[in-house]
Amino acid sequence: MKRIFLLILSVSSIIAACAQIDAGLHNTRFIYGGYTFADHYRVALSHSLFSEKFGFQQIGLSAEYFGDFGSLGYEAKAYCATAWNGDYRQAGGVVGVNFTPLNVLHLIGRINPHYDSGYKYKTCFSLGASVDLNSSIDVHASYTTIPDYRKSEKRVHAGFGLRSGRLTVIPEVSIPVAGEQKYKNLRVLVSLNYCFGNGHSRVIWP
């Protein structure tokens, strides 16, 4: 029994040493907590903050693998979500790359096969770029059809990334560029991430 206890304690210590816990806010309306281990794997739980009754709030789960190869960063993620009352369900995946041709320039692309039981299936994507003004601030812009909340729309995102140690904050505007709400239904979105373990915060989807 003592040997088993020592083995469990040793394994737990190794996992804790290699793990990283983070928490944050995504697009103003989702809070999340994540657990990263072995430097490349992450699982996360998220919950919405919609202005709706609790039954219509959304809870989600995701699993991700990420890393880099020289100047190319990459991510692959699977996710699922549901309203507490079963009103709708979501599932999908994200494959993304972040290419850094220059020290201050990042070219970012994502493909997002996305299913929502209310809006059906759609292959979404985003293409954008960011420029580092210094080690703590960047400016970025992208064209995206990935949903801000649930519905896929053609939008332009533009904003800043502010980094300080384990904290990253991203304020940006989301502007529709097609449809009846073209240039009218502007949203101000805020995302943030704080890392409680070793390492630094990074830009994360829940």
Side-chain angles (χ1 to χ4, degrees):
M1 178 64 81
K2 184 178 179 179
R3 290 181 179 179
I4 295 175
F5 175 76
L6 290 174
L7 178 60
I8 293 173
L9 183 61
S10 298
V11 172
S12 298
S13 299
I14 293 172
I15 292 174
C18 299
Q20 172 181 303
I21 296 173
D22 65 90
L25 177 73
H26 175 66
N27 282 359
T28 310
R29 296 295 179 89
F30 299 91
I31 56 174
Y32 64 86
Y35 180 82
T36 300
F37 56 97
D39 294 327
H40 296 287
Y41 301 89
R42 180 175 179 271
V43 292
L45 185 68
S46 64
H47 199 280
S48 67
L49 299 173
F50 299 146
S51 55
E52 300 278 357
K53 294 180 179 179
F54 181 80
F56 291 96
Q57 299 297 328
Q58 173 183 305
I59 184 169
L61 179 67
S62 65
E64 175 185 9
Y65 178 82
F66 63 91
D68 61 78
F69 185 78
S71 59
L72 181 68
Y74 55 85
E75 63 175 334
K77 175 182 296 187
Y79 63 85
C80 60
T82 183
W84 281 102
N85 63 5
D87 185 63
Y88 66 89
R89 297 170 302 281
Q90 294 180 341
V94 178
V95 176
V97 294
N98 184 335
F99 177 57
T100 307
L102 302 172
N103 287 338
V104 298
L105 176 64
H106 308 274
L107 305 177
I108 304 164
R110 287 190 179 97
I111 297 177
N112 172 210
H114 178 75
Y115 173 79
D116 183 293
S117 59
Y119 295 104
K120 304 308 177 184
Y121 174 82
K122 188 172 181 64
T123 300
C124 307
F125 71 94
S126 68
L127 293 171
S130 70
V131 176
D132 295 333
L133 301 182
N134 54 44
S135 61
S136 300
I137 304 173
D138 70 70
V139 293
H140 60 263
S142 64
Y143 174 81
T144 182
T145 63
I146 295 175
D148 287 349
Y149 305 135
R150 282 187 61 195
K151 185 179 180 180
S152 174
E153 302 171 278
K154 296 177 180 179
R155 285 181 170 263
V156 168
H157 286 187
F160 297 89
L162 310 172
R163 298 176 295 277
S164 178
R166 297 179 179 181
L167 177 67
T168 299
V169 180
I170 305 173
E172 60 184 8
V173 293
S174 173
I175 307 167
V177 293
E180 296 180 359
Q181 298 298 317
K182 184 176 181 180
Y183 306 127
K184 295 179 181 179
N185 186 21
L186 183 147
R187 297 174 183 143
V188 177
L189 305 176
V190 176
S191 298
L192 63 88
N193 174 264
Y194 185 82
C195 169
F196 293 94
N198 297 323
H200 296 278
S201 176
R202 67 187 187 93
V203 178
I204 289 177
W205 270 22

